[in-house]
Amino acid sequence: MTSRDGFTWTPSDGLKPGVPSLGVISPSSNISSTQVEYDVIVIGAGYCGLTAARNAALDGLKVLLLEGRDRIGGRSWSSNIGGYPFEMGGTWVHWGQSNSWREITRYRMEKDVEMSFDFAKGVKHFELNTPESSVTMTHDDEDILLDSALKKFTNIDGFYGRKTIPLPYTTFHQPSSIPLDSLSALDRINEIADTLSPQERAVLEASILLASGGTLETTSFHEFMHWWAMCGYTYQGWLDMLITWKFRDGQSTFARRFFDEALATKRLSYAFNTPVQHISTSPSAVEITSRSNTTYRALRAICTIPLNVLSDIKFTPPLPTGKQAAIAIGHVNQTVKVHAEVSNKDLRSWTGINYPNELHYAIGDGTTPAGNTHIVCFGGQNRHMDPEVDVDRTKRAVSSLFNPGNYAGQNVQIERLVFHNWSKDEFAKGAWFFAPPGLLSEHLDDMRGRHGNVVFANSDWALGWRSFIDGAIEEGTRAELEVREEVVGLRGVKQKL
């Protein structure tokens, strides 16, 4: 099935909207009547919504899942083109991310996870291209450089953050860590600028922007340190947990397990291509109205809509002022992610940074059935582009990652581009969550707070792996448990009456 999301480009076909995905659901709805009162309506079929809907259905609740897209997965989904998966959003998993790994073992998918990197043969080097210089080095030297830069950036207490953030799940209840949220990444860089070499500063800034998808000024130093703490306060943990292990056949194979298990209970109703426009909560129930003016009713609702999209929904009564303030601020991540299939097979062992650039960080991430190298490239808000608007510019941004002097006489022809424009996606308005300074210390509790009979759950305000698949599963689990306890209690009251 082909989703309306995403784009592909090839020399022969040009730019085409829509890409095939295992996450597309057909038929798009299994609802036979809109007069049903559900136990819970789950809004959004990303990993958070899928977890909540599956758990609720398994627990015996009558569930309705509403989704504006034609597919599951939200900001984490894959496209399979020519027998090869391209990850359009969230990609990497790790056993240190306990919620997601629990689900991987639940579905017996441990053997479906493989390593992104393969440095066994080919060029086996890292390129660092800046306006001042172009340097090629071994991957060991790349690691030494990044390790040094990140240690200088994160060593705020002589223990690389371990003393200041000893338990990252409760960070805003620790007075020592709260002041970090008033600082931007640029503020911290300015504090240590005299200790950084030009190469260290270039790879550090590129790495920060790879994480945040914002600018140095709009990146919360605290949120970066939260990621660092979750990764075990080390560069090796950062590398292992954030960008090393992925599903061999793509994220959508994982998401399907959640959806299919929920569907098998025969307690899951669903409607895709059904954007929500109004959520009304009363003392006894919730009414959800779609853009087509269809109304659905339930005892409770779990809203998994991302922070940057909540302003598009009308709430009755209006949301609390703290939640409205958080929504008005929003998160900063406008990452551009572009997959390039290139003809040089030796680039499988290549990594590179070209900073600053529209695409500033990239790695060789696989070999396609045609024998070409798959390069996954990232850019950010500092030099934002819409890749589908000017494909030639996108191709130049990919090509500029490679210093031509390193590939004299070798072909680095771009055979295919695959991407999804998250900034223009009306159901995301950005990529994974990353906070600006002050947002979380002021409004994390507001973001997590419920509104009447509506429980809000999303990786954007998870306590642990915030903004990751793991955080989405964490939040979906929390929300379903809260709703299940209430619905079971209401059922008991009704039975007694």
Side-chain angles (χ1 to χ4, degrees):
M1 299 291 293
T2 297
S3 173
R4 62 177 175 268
D5 287 345
F7 292 87
T8 60
W9 174 90
T10 62
S12 58
D13 295 335
L15 183 70
K16 286 188 173 182
V19 296
S21 175
L22 295 172
V24 177
I25 302 301
S26 180
S28 61
S29 176
N30 67 351
I31 297 175
S32 57
S33 172
T34 59
Q35 302 307 308
V36 176
E37 182 178 86
Y38 296 91
D39 292 323
V40 58
I41 296 174
V42 178
I43 304 168
Y47 276 105
C48 182
L50 290 174
T51 301
R54 181 204 62 188
N55 290 2
L58 290 172
D59 284 338
L61 275 60
K62 185 185 298 182
V63 183
L64 173 61
L65 178 64
L66 299 178
E67 170 57 55
R69 309 180 193 274
D70 55 15
R71 59 172 181 80
I72 58 176
R75 290 174 288 187
S76 297
W77 67 291
S78 57
S79 174
N80 194 291
I81 300 173
Y84 185 86
F86 294 90
E87 296 287 7
M88 311 301 286
T91 302
W92 291 278
V93 295
H94 192 273
W95 48 93
Q97 297 165 344
S98 57
N99 293 288
S100 53
W101 201 259
R102 180 190 68 236
E103 301 295 345
I104 290 170
T105 57
R106 173 197 184 103
Y107 293 124
R108 302 177 184 176
M109 296 183 71
E110 304 96 321
K111 293 182 180 179
D112 297 329
V113 175
E114 67 178 11
M115 185 176 285
S116 283
F117 300 103
D118 184 357
F119 296 157
K121 57 185 178 180
V123 297
K124 295 188 288 187
H125 68 229
F126 165 69
E127 286 187 46
L128 174 58
N129 298 311
T130 68
E132 291 75 32
S133 65
S134 179
V135 180
T136 301
M137 65 183 74
T138 68
H139 291 302
D140 287 342
D141 287 337
E142 172 192 6
D143 289 338
I144 291 170
L145 179 63
L146 280 161
D147 184 41
S148 176
L150 286 167
K151 280 181 175 177
K152 291 177 181 179
F153 187 67
T154 60
N155 194 17
I156 53 178
D157 51 15
F159 297 92
Y160 307 103
R162 288 179 185 272
K163 185 176 180 180
T164 305
I165 307 178
L167 185 61
Y169 277 79
T170 62
T171 179
F172 289 112
H173 297 280
Q174 298 165 14
S176 61
S177 68
I178 294 174
L180 301 181
D181 201 39
S182 65
L183 300 176
S184 70
L186 183 60
D187 292 331
R188 174 58 180 166
I189 288 174
N190 287 338
E191 290 178 351
I192 62 169
D194 291 344
T195 71
L196 295 170
S197 71
Q199 288 185 0
E200 286 177 328
R201 180 153 184 166
V203 298
L204 176 60
E205 292 189 6
S207 297
I208 293 167
L209 297 180
L210 174 64
S212 78
T215 66
L216 297 174
E217 294 87 347
T218 59
T219 295
S220 163
F221 178 53
H222 176 279
E223 190 67 347
F224 189 94
M225 289 299 301
H226 179 261
W227 280 35
W228 179 256
M230 293 298 295
C231 291
Y233 312 90
T234 68
Y235 165 69
Q236 189 60 53
W238 179 270
L239 186 67
D240 288 345
M241 295 193 190
L242 300 188
I243 201 169
T244 297
W245 299 96
K246 62 178 183 175
F247 288 104
R248 181 180 298 105
D249 296 317
Q251 275 289 341
S252 290
T253 61
F254 188 38
R256 283 300 305 225
R257 302 296 183 96
F258 291 72
F259 182 78
D260 292 344
E261 185 177 9
L263 197 60
T265 67
K266 301 188 183 304
R267 288 186 287 272
L268 176 70
S269 300
Y270 65 84
F272 288 79
N273 302 308
T274 307
V276 167
Q277 69 174 1
H278 185 199
I279 299 175
S280 176
T281 178
S282 68
S284 60
V286 178
E287 289 190 350
I288 311 294
T289 304
S290 70
R291 288 184 191 170
S292 62
N293 288 319
T294 302
T295 298
Y296 307 92
R297 296 170 181 83
L299 296 175
R300 297 290 184 269
I302 297 174
C303 178
T304 73
I305 295 171
L307 181 67
N308 284 3
V309 185
L310 280 171
S311 61
D312 292 343
I313 310 300
K314 179 182 178 181
F315 287 88
T316 303
L319 293 174
T321 56
K323 192 178 289 288
Q324 290 188 42
I327 294 168
I329 296 169
H331 78 80
V332 302
N333 191 340
Q334 301 299 321
T335 287
V336 177
K337 182 180 183 182
V338 175
H339 299 280
E341 183 179 347
V342 299
S343 56
N344 189 331
K345 64 182 181 181
D346 289 337
L347 293 176
R348 180 68 180 92
S349 57
W350 171 93
T351 60
I353 288 175
N354 184 4
Y355 181 77
N357 188 39
E358 290 97 336
L359 298 172
H360 60 253
Y361 183 92
I363 62 172
D365 197 35
T367 300
T368 68
N372 298 321
T373 298
H374 162 219
I375 305 289
V376 58
C377 317
F378 295 89
Q381 195 174 353
N382 60 325
R383 291 197 177 185
H384 185 79
M385 67 174 183
D386 296 311
E388 77 280 8
V389 171
D390 187 343
V391 174
D392 287 338
R393 179 184 176 188
T394 305
K395 290 162 60 182
R396 287 194 300 270
V398 172
S399 297
S400 68
L401 290 160
F402 308 100
N403 180 349
N406 290 335
Y407 308 100
Q410 300 180 55
N411 196 0
V412 193
Q413 181 71 31
I414 299 174
E415 304 291 347
R416 187 190 309 271
L417 298 174
V418 185
F419 54 87
H420 181 83
N421 190 332
W422 292 106
S423 295
K424 287 188 174 181
D425 184 325
E426 65 172 322
F427 302 121
K429 295 187 178 181
W432 61 87
F433 173 91
F434 208 96
L439 172 62
L440 292 175
S441 56
E442 293 292 328
H443 296 297
L444 180 58
D445 289 342
D446 294 321
M447 293 158 67
R448 294 175 59 80
R450 65 185 291 164
H451 182 52
N453 289 321
V454 181
V455 176
F456 290 84
N458 193 283
S459 66
D460 289 9
W461 46 85
L463 295 180
W465 286 98
R466 190 163 40 245
S467 83
F468 290 80
I469 295 164
D470 193 89
I473 296 171
E474 171 199 321
E475 277 288 288
T477 302
R478 172 189 66 84
E480 189 275 338
L481 178 60
E482 184 174 336
V483 164
R484 180 186 69 193
E485 291 174 343
E486 294 179 5
V487 169
V488 169
L490 290 169
R491 279 179 173 174
V493 171
K494 288 183 177 180
Q495 289 171 359
K496 289 178 182 179
L497 293 175

